[in-house]
Amino acid sequence: MGAWLDYTINGLIVGNIYALLAVGLALIFGVSHLINFAQGSIYTAGAFIGWTCAQRLGTPLPVTMAAVVLGCAALGVVIERVGLRPLAGSARIAPLLATIGISFVLDQGLQLLYSPDPRSLPSPLPAWRIQVGRGTIGALDILIAATGLVSAAVLFGFLRFSRLGWAVRATAQDSEAARQMGVNTDAVNRTVFAIAAGLGGLSGLLVGMYYNHIDTAMSFQATLKGVVAQVIGGMGNVPGAIAGSLLLGLTESYGVALFGSSYRNLFAFVLLLIVLVLRPNGLFAGRQAMSPEPLTGTFIAPSRPWDVPRWAVAVCVLLAALLPFLPNSAYALQVLTNAWLYALLAISLTLVAGTLGQVSLGHAGLLLIGAYASALLALDSGLPVWLSIPAAGFVTAALGTALTWPAFRLRSHYVSIATLGIGEIVGLVILNWESLTHGPMGVTGVPPLTAGTVELDSPQASYWVALAVLVLLGLMQSRLLGTHLGRTFRAIRDDDVAARACGVSLDRYKGLAFAVSGFAAGISGAISAHLYSYINNETFTSQVSVLALTMVILGGMGNVLGAVIGAVALTGLPEVFRFTAEYRQLIYGLVLLLMIRFRPQGILGTA
Amino acid sequence: MTQPLLSVRGLQRRFGGITAVKGANLDLCEGELLSVIGPNGAGKTTLFNLISGHDRPDGGTVRFGGVEVTGSTPERLAALGLARTFQHGRVFANLTVRDNVLMGTHSRMKLARPGPPLLGALRELFLALIRPPGVRAEEQALRREVEDILHLFGDRLIPRLDRPAYSLSYANRRRLEIARALALRPRLLMLDEPTAGMNETETAEMRTIIGQLKARGQTILLIEHKLDLVMQLSDRVIAMDDGAEIAAGTPAAVRHDPAVVEAYLGHRHMGGEQTPDAVALEASP
Ligand SMILES: Nc1ncnc2c1ncn2[C@@H]1O[C@H](COP(=O)(O)OP(=O)(O)O)[C@@H](O)[C@H]1O
Ligand SMILES: [Mg+2]
């Protein structure tokens, strides 16, 4: 029984930490209908500011905490001013994508500053523990609980009794009306970002001390947890975010108790999906129709796509096909093979995110399914590789569509959150389903590409295979876009209410688009698996999903050729300029930010 | 008596504290034009949404074409032959004029027939990709039909066939929406304030077009603020206020109904489009 008490205490402590993240997210969502995906990066920044103060400058704990809160609040203000305010008035999803770009930049900035090596951040508090029943509580637990309570109380007082707090509440209720009544909504946004960032940074510091471990890769999971907690409590609902966080902390803690620590995140994301599907307004909202607010989910800037003549495309393909005959092309071939595989992923994503308007952040999950399907079919079922790859395409189309099905009824950034969760779930199921997927060991010895008896494992052959598959699927997708299906997908993107009035069944056409998209992504993942010869559940992470989205935006949403160009640009250019890996992420983030801000229609224009 | 095409009984819809539609009843026969009038916030659009499946009623029934369709989905109602436009205009902004109208034909496409679950969808994908002659012929026929429909609007839309809808003027977007609804070859056409925001010439033009549709035998349910237009076109009129019917009958009878006059006068302070109409009501003998 004592163990259970410990798990409960642990759940509540972790829940408190999530609450510090989620409250800020809820405040921001309340006033600006934005999910701040940079929240986790601020949390990491808070941990590192704390580490610098405590370990380098030797400050006492209260000073460290104050420095973290102030430093992160300043960071929040900068983010709001530079990254988001200029986007006021653009598509709803634009600021969300901008915060993703900002998080890339922040994470990589921290990594360059502090190196990716993990550090320890010991708690300066005394090590005593109080016996409670048969569990124990330590000084740090009490500090975390107290921080949570004090923050909540201060926040409550601020919102309730200060003038600025009143302005925040007014803006959250109706920002247009608030503006007309003379509320300075810029000041409100700035305040809210400062509060959110200050609390987020504090959360990072406390987590660092709790686990005595910080590293620059902890941002993404933190963002996800904060978002999950907020969805559970109801987007924009501050008390709901606290309750959702505690619930999430407890669920995870009990899940770990029952099944082991590798199940922690699986529980979190399954809970996320259940809430999104059954109670999209959160557990604590009354049963009402989903607010009609975030209607415009698409990131489609009105533009006419560039009409690239067919012969020009044909010439480019021909030149690409002849490249292996050039001397000394081995390095270029390797880079471009990778680019073609990314391009396959990008055309897959541009179909759903661009043409259909469902901005998926879970495409890495599709790559994983494709990679595992082909690897396991070839290894464990003995299927020849030239059959296992297309089979993996079909498996991914079917599984991917089935998994995304619950998200079909959602709109706008709810779709992005749900697909992000689904992508994470795929990785976690692969990690935990050992009997099928070999679990954390991964799959070794994936056979190389072959066609019948012909070995295709030379760099030239791999290059041609990837290029040929890309051309084939690219042509197929272009052809599809010219039919009534392309028209129907775009109609759903532009106005799903009007599409239904025309007799369009949303489920059917979303299903078809995700199936076609899943096929291409699955093939890309499958070919990659045979080229890498080793895969595990982290071969494709959510960072890959975001990178693919950056490619899609760079090329022009929905634009097949644009997706290919975006993929070549983002995989090729860093090679040309010989950027090291750390700088690459920084560049991806900056490209995403600049495109959203200055050329939302992408290079070739949205289609 | 023949069965009405549309028959609404006791339809109700509550939003939190307010009841937007309080037990609406109406019958509409083939070939008839029935107008629903009433001040802003009377519940007309909500009534439309309940009939067309875009909103679910809290009580009451809707029968369309002899079938009970209460709480059906909009796509099912479209397949049964119900088409509508939206008060604030909902064209597909990034689609061309042609594609917008082609979307209206969606529920009639053989290619897009539901079929068995899953298999029907896969068949549609497969046929769209290989494009056999039958599929191509259907698409060609629909494209010709689109131009026929657009000719109804003179040279307003035909010269702009390949322009994206976002580039159209406001009035042209409203026309395009009606064209898209007509492409469904609807048994019932529901128009929600088709002349809102139009100037006098444009309104007159729209009146002629609706008149032509009626002359062809098109059954129409119309929400409209401009009473002149309502009086000239309608076979019958229903007046609503605060979610309830306050008068029904011939245009002349409804026009002179004291409850209607009062409802319009009572809302005069709200400004907007009904003010001149209210004055006109007052002045009419
Ligand atoms: N989705 C909704 N949520 C809450 N209230 C609504 C909603 N839709 C309409 N209403 C309310 O219902 C009433 C009727 O609105 P509506 O049907 O649009 O009137 P009309 O079309 O006659 O101007 C109004 O008071 C309006 O505020
Ligand atoms: Mg209305």
Side-chain angles (χ1 to χ4, degrees), chain B residues 15 18 20 38-47 87 192-193 223:
Chain B
F15 292 113
I18 61 163
N40 278 336
K44 306 180 297 295
T45 298
T46 306
L47 176 64
Q87 179 175 355
D192 194 346
E193 300 196 28
I223 294 179

Side-chain angles (χ1 to χ4, degrees), chain A residues 8-25 39-40 43-44 47 65 140-149 151 196-213 218-219 221-227 229-230 241-250 252 264:
Chain A
T8 307
I9 292 170
N10 175 272
L12 289 174
I13 296 301
V14 173
N16 241 303
I17 288 167
Y18 292 159
L20 287 173
L21 280 166
V23 161
L25 287 170
Q39 184 77 347
Y43 156 102
T44 308
M65 288 174 75
L140 187 56
D141 297 334
I142 293 174
L143 175 70
I144 292 174
T147 308
L149 287 174
S151 310
L199 293 179
L202 202 51
S203 170
L205 173 67
L206 293 174
V207 168
M209 295 194 307
Y210 191 68
Y211 293 114
N212 190 14
H213 172 109
M218 62 194 212
S219 305
Q221 285 299 327
T223 302
L224 285 182
K225 291 302 168 59
V227 170
Q230 210 215 144
I242 296 175
S245 300
L246 296 177
L247 193 64
L248 177 63
L250 286 174
E252 285 187 3
R264 173 183 289 273

Side-chain angles (χ1 to χ4, degrees), chain A residues 5 129-137:
Chain A
L5 194 61
R129 301 191 70 84
I130 311 171
Q131 194 78 23
V132 178
R134 280 205 256 149
T136 62
I137 297 181

Side-chain angles (χ1 to χ4, degrees), chain A residues 300 302-304 476 479-480 483-485 487 490-491 493-495 497-504 508-509 512, chain B residues 54 74-75 78 90 92-95 102-103 106 111-114 120-121 124 128-131 139 162 166 180:
Chain A
I300 291 297
S303 81
R304 306 223 69 180
M476 193 182 89
R479 186 176 168 88
L480 194 69
T483 69
H484 81 288
L485 285 176
R487 171 167 86 218
R490 293 204 301 267
R493 166 192 78 194
D494 279 3
D495 192 330
V497 173
R500 293 185 77 187
C502 292
V504 173
R508 174 170 173 138
Y509 292 96
L512 281 178
Chain B
H54 287 89
E75 51 269 25
R90 283 180 172 269
F92 302 117
N94 292 284
L95 262 56
L102 276 169
M103 278 313 298
H106 183 90
L111 185 56
R113 277 198 192 136
E124 182 177 346
L129 274 178
I130 59 166
R131 264 186 247 180
E139 180 83 5
D162 291 309
Y166 67 75
R180 186 179 69 197

